[in-house]
Amino acid sequence: MLDYRALADSLSKAEKQKKAISCLSDKFEQFNMEMGYKVQQELVKSKIESGHRVTAYKMGLTSQAKMKQMKVNSPIYGYIFDYMKVPNKGQIQMEDFIHPKVEAEIAFILGEDIEGSNVTGEQVLGKTQWILPALEIIDSRYENFRFQLPDVVADNTSASRVIFGSHLYQPQDFDVDLISVSMTINGEIIENGVSSAVLGNPANSVALLANMLYEVKKEKIKKGSIILTGGITEAAQFKKGDHVITEYDGMGEVSFYVQ
């Protein structure tokens, strides 16, 4: 039987020491999704025991571009912790990462609880109080950013940092599936995308999360919860000295500097 806490600790150590490790599926041939989520559960438990707080849910691999980029075929979920938040227009240190990438997302803040196994995107929109633009920095703890789907689940979906926009917006003021984004690094356009890339509508990503959590854990997503819905575009690499700015149609800019 696998020691799930020991595997979680190996991933935590890789994150803290900024040293990539080999995939768990390379070591354990039968490593599957159920095992991946068990490792993730131990990883989350360990972080909470060390004093950190979960501040948001995150969906991963929710766009065809991301699934193609990562050579996988199913969305997954993980968690954002308090230490991962970076202020808009703030700075990050390149030394804090292994091989980071950034992607543009839309975040949802719920105004009501969501619970059940057949939640729809339309229901999600009806229960969403706010949406806001966000940048997520992902940083796989595996060598060469290479992994199977159970591996990245175990690694808390490569969660590393998040930068939220400075303003909240009401979802009814937008066609949530038609929000365009443009990411530049040092003034050069790197990625363009439209929010419909996320499962047709980012609200569908929240619905999928609600369904997954209920089916697996009988868990609801509570009022006030923040959900990152997944990358609208492929994740872009950056380096020390870069200035990353993403413009969201009707929602302003989210940016950070790399020191």
Side-chain angles (χ1 to χ4, degrees):
M1 181 179 290
L2 294 181
D3 185 337
Y4 296 113
R5 176 53 74 101
L7 295 178
D9 288 345
S10 70
L11 287 162
S12 289
K13 183 178 178 182
E15 180 185 4
K16 290 173 184 175
Q17 296 185 349
K18 290 84 180 176
K19 292 183 179 178
I21 61 175
S22 57
C23 289
L24 303 184
S25 59
D26 286 348
K27 302 174 185 176
F28 307 104
E29 191 174 335
Q30 303 303 319
F31 196 69
N32 58 30
M33 289 291 285
E34 183 181 359
M35 294 173 179
Y37 276 112
K38 284 183 178 179
V39 174
Q40 185 193 101
Q41 188 174 15
E42 291 298 323
L43 186 68
V44 170
K45 190 185 301 182
S46 174
K47 288 181 183 293
I48 291 172
E49 288 170 355
S50 66
H52 294 300
R53 293 182 300 105
V54 172
T55 56
Y57 295 94
K58 62 156 290 190
M59 289 292 282
L61 309 177
T62 52
S63 71
Q64 290 298 324
K66 282 292 296 178
M67 285 188 262
K68 182 178 178 181
Q69 183 183 24
M70 294 291 100
K71 297 181 173 63
V72 298
N73 57 11
S74 176
I76 54 179
Y77 68 83
Y79 300 87
I80 298 295
F81 287 87
D82 48 5
Y83 71 90
M84 296 179 176
K85 187 176 180 181
V86 176
N88 192 14
K89 303 179 183 179
Q91 298 181 356
I92 62 169
Q93 303 296 320
M94 197 67 186
E95 293 78 11
D96 289 340
F97 307 94
I98 301 171
H99 36 207
K101 299 178 181 180
V102 59
E103 54 193 34
E105 308 198 14
I106 301 295
F108 281 54
I109 302 177
L110 299 184
E112 299 179 41
D113 293 353
I114 293 181
E115 181 178 14
S117 59
N118 295 294
V119 177
T120 66
E122 187 176 352
Q123 289 172 328
V124 166
L125 286 172
K127 294 187 176 186
T128 298
Q129 184 174 16
W130 306 106
I131 58 173
L132 70 160
L135 292 176
E136 186 189 359
I137 297 172
I138 55 174
D139 190 27
S140 174
R141 270 57 74 164
Y142 300 119
E143 294 168 348
N144 302 315
F145 234 104
R146 183 188 65 82
F147 44 72
Q148 301 298 320
L149 199 55
D151 294 307
V152 69
V153 167
D155 189 29
N156 192 29
T157 65
S158 306
S160 185
R161 298 291 187 276
V162 63
I163 303 101
F164 291 110
S166 303
H167 302 285
L168 302 173
Y169 300 89
Q170 294 184 323
Q172 58 265 34
D173 292 340
F174 291 83
D175 290 322
V176 180
D177 58 336
L178 295 177
I179 299 170
S180 61
V181 302
S182 179
M183 181 183 294
T184 65
I185 298 182
N186 304 327
E188 178 184 353
I189 296 176
I190 302 298
E191 296 286 349
N192 285 307
V194 179
S195 56
S196 59
V198 179
L199 299 177
N201 187 315
N204 294 331
S205 178
V206 180
L208 180 58
L209 173 64
N211 296 334
M212 293 168 76
L213 289 174
Y214 186 79
E215 288 169 9
V216 175
K217 303 179 178 182
K218 293 295 183 283
E219 181 180 311
K220 66 182 176 182
I221 310 178
K222 296 180 181 179
K223 174 183 177 180
S225 293
I226 303 171
I227 303 101
L228 289 166
T229 53
I232 294 170
T233 62
E234 291 189 9
Q237 291 183 310
F238 56 84
K239 63 185 186 303
K240 193 169 186 175
D242 283 348
H243 184 200
V244 180
I245 303 175
T246 302
E247 177 76 29
Y248 298 73
D249 187 27
M251 303 175 86
E253 293 181 349
V254 184
S255 67
F256 65 93
Y257 295 88
V258 188
Q259 296 298 310

